[in-house]
Amino acid sequence: QVQLVESGGGLVQPGGSLRLSCTASGSIFSINIMGWYRQTPGKQREVVAAITSGGITNYADSVKGRFSISRDNAKNTAYLQMNGLKPEDTDVYYCNGVLRPTAMDAWHNYWGQGTQVTVSS
């Protein structure tokens, strides 16, 4: 069974920084894309940043220049470094992984449980 576990959320003042981590564990044959999404209650979940197994990255316009996504393929872990945080970055952040549990499986979408990020003075 595959699990994605996030850590690193919390409360930070405007202009501050946080680093989120997401580790995939369980039966994992291969991981393609890992990404971070965020969601405000009542609104659609939106992509924040994503990274392929080859290191190609993509960012939402609202976080470009402030957030940086990276991954350690050997550890099945993705990171989101968030600098220059703003109150509007307050949300629940979810880790997403597109992976194959075994060589016989197709690609599947998995989600973490979410971690709260609050930016407030």
Side-chain angles (χ1 to χ4, degrees):
Q1 187 173 355
V2 175
Q3 281 189 313
L4 271 64
V5 178
E6 302 113 332
S7 62
L11 172 64
V12 64
Q13 292 186 342
S17 298
L18 282 175
R19 188 192 195 208
L20 305 183
S21 299
C22 171
T23 299
S25 63
S27 175
I28 298 172
F29 173 72
S30 179
I31 303 177
N32 186 358
I33 298 170
M34 296 189 77
W36 291 93
Y37 288 68
R38 62 188 182 188
Q39 186 172 25
T40 301
K43 294 187 177 181
Q44 192 171 0
R45 192 171 293 187
E46 62 175 10
V47 62
V48 176
I51 184 169
T52 69
S53 58
I56 298 173
T57 59
N58 190 36
Y59 297 92
D61 288 342
S62 59
V63 306
K64 283 180 180 177
R66 300 188 298 123
F67 291 10
S68 177
I69 189 170
S70 61
R71 64 190 277 179
D72 184 332
N73 291 330
K75 296 181 179 179
N76 292 334
T77 298
Y79 307 95
L80 185 67
Q81 178 66 43
M82 304 185 293
N83 300 326
L85 282 161
K86 304 175 181 179
E88 51 264 43
D89 294 317
T90 296
D91 249 328
V92 179
Y93 285 69
Y94 295 90
C95 177
N96 171 263
V98 179
L99 60 91
R100 298 167 67 188
T102 72
M104 302 299 292
D105 289 311
W107 296 104
H108 291 285
N109 216 17
Y110 293 87
W111 294 92
Q113 79 286 356
T115 185
Q116 177 70 46
V117 171
T118 302
V119 185
S120 176
S121 55

